[in-house]
């Protein structure tokens, strides 16, 4: 049975979910307050390792999935998964292993590595892969997912205990935060921006005593104003 642990959505309403081995397109309705996952199709992604995270890269309304893959001997790298075929590039991320990543256009990428959010850009030919630019913010602790808000470029950090932090990518400061009450039976395994005021939270039951993976559900939450908190804060400071 397909039990994903990570989720990514585009501003065009297209979402992807992944377990350790497979990527699937997922149908979500932003209007739903509580939604179960609906896997529409499995995508042909030759990962070549364990899938750590997934991202949605879009251009002119066309989106495809990128997978962050861990190879114990070589580190973490990015795989481009398309519907037609899987393109595996040796697109390694430098430094420590990445726990999560995100992109919007496939040209600029943010990865959580070694307790920091590192910004990358696509390397220019003939070099393939990603070139690190600088550390954007601190991301220590139980960060499970990172995402970008379209337009503003604001960063979101999702934490295992249900905390969502809104970060200014220029200063690295936290502009606002919000908490989903996960309780004792669930953890927040991933999160994604569906549109400017809506986020999708992937909630996973804690593993049983034998370590078996439990069920996963996806909740869509409207958070008007929260995702624009950094822009509002900078506007007030500019007065």
């Amino acid at each position: 049975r397909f039990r994903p642990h990570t989720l990514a959505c585009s501003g065009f309403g297209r979402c992807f979910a992944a377990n350790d081995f497979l990527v699937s397109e997922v149908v979500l309705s932003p209007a739903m307050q509580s939604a179960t996952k609906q896997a529409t199709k499995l995508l042909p992604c030759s990962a070549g390792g364990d899938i750590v995270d997934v991202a949605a890269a879009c251009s002119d309304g066309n989106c495809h999935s990128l997978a962050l893959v861990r190879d114990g001997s070589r580190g973490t790298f990015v795989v481009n998964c398309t519907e037609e075929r899987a393109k595996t590039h040796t697109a390694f991320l430098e430094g420590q292993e990445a726990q999560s990543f995100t992109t919007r256009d496939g040209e600029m990428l943010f990865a959580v590595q070694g307790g920091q959010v590192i910004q990358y850009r696509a390397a220019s030919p003939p070099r393939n892969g990603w070139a690190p630019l600088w550390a954007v913010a601190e991301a220590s602790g139980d960060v499970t997912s990172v995402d970008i808000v379209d337009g503003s470029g604001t960063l979101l950090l999702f934490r295992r205990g249900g905390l969502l932090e809104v970060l200014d990518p220029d200063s690295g400061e936290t502009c606002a935060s919000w908490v989903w009450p996960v309780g004792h039976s669930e953890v927040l395994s991933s999160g994604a921006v569906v549109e400017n005021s809506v986020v999708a939270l992937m909630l996973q039951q804690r593993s049983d005593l034998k370590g078996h993976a439990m069920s996963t559900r996806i909740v869509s939450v409207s958070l008007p104003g929260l995702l624009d908190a950094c822009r509002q804060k900078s506007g007030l400071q500019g007065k």
Side-chain angles (χ1 to χ4, degrees):
R1 183 180 177 184
F2 182 69
R3 291 190 177 97
H5 62 76
T6 185
L7 175 74
C9 296
S10 72
F12 302 97
R14 192 173 180 187
C15 298
F16 303 97
N19 62 11
D20 290 343
F21 315 105
L22 301 169
V23 177
S24 176
E25 187 172 352
V26 174
V27 176
L28 293 180
S29 171
M32 290 189 292
Q33 292 301 309
S34 181
T36 56
K37 59 187 181 299
Q38 300 180 45
T40 57
K41 68 173 74 171
L42 296 178
L43 303 182
C45 191
S46 179
D50 294 335
I51 298 176
V52 179
D53 200 4
V54 66
C58 303
S59 178
D60 298 325
N62 297 314
C63 301
H64 62 274
S65 64
L66 298 176
L68 179 66
V69 179
R70 179 190 297 118
D71 182 319
S73 62
R74 297 182 294 172
T76 44
F77 57 95
V78 177
V79 174
N80 183 357
C81 304
T82 67
E83 293 187 11
E84 294 79 16
R85 59 195 178 99
K87 301 177 182 178
T88 305
H89 301 291
T90 310
F92 288 94
L93 300 182
E94 298 182 10
Q96 300 184 41
E97 283 192 355
Q99 292 80 50
S100 180
F101 82 136
T102 188
T103 184
R104 270 295 183 249
D105 56 6
E107 297 296 325
M108 198 68 67
L109 180 148
F110 295 87
V112 177
Q113 293 177 278
Q116 294 181 311
V117 180
I118 308 297
Q119 184 172 352
Y120 289 80
R121 61 171 173 80
S124 301
R127 180 185 177 188
N128 291 322
W130 302 91
L133 298 178
W134 45 68
V136 175
E138 297 295 321
S140 59
D142 59 347
V143 174
T144 60
S145 189
V146 60
D147 205 359
I148 309 171
V149 179
D150 281 329
S152 67
T154 300
L155 291 175
L156 303 184
L157 292 183
F158 298 84
R159 295 184 179 271
R160 185 177 177 85
L163 178 64
L164 166 59
E165 294 177 282
V166 183
L167 303 181
D168 185 329
D170 295 322
S171 66
E173 296 181 355
T174 300
C175 302
S177 62
W178 175 84
V179 178
W180 173 267
V182 293
H184 299 291
S185 62
E186 292 182 315
V187 295
L188 177 58
S189 66
S190 186
V193 179
V194 181
E195 57 184 22
N196 286 342
S197 63
V198 176
V199 297
L201 306 177
M202 178 170 281
L203 302 166
Q204 194 171 54
Q205 285 189 338
R206 295 180 185 273
S207 300
D208 62 18
L209 295 178
K210 296 181 179 180
H212 296 153
M214 305 297 283
S215 63
T216 299
R217 67 188 180 110
I218 298 171
V219 176
S220 180
V221 184
S222 179
L223 300 172
L226 182 73
L227 305 189
D228 200 35
C230 292
R231 184 180 296 175
Q232 294 173 5
K233 185 176 180 180
S234 63
L236 291 174
Q237 291 176 344
K239 291 183 179 180

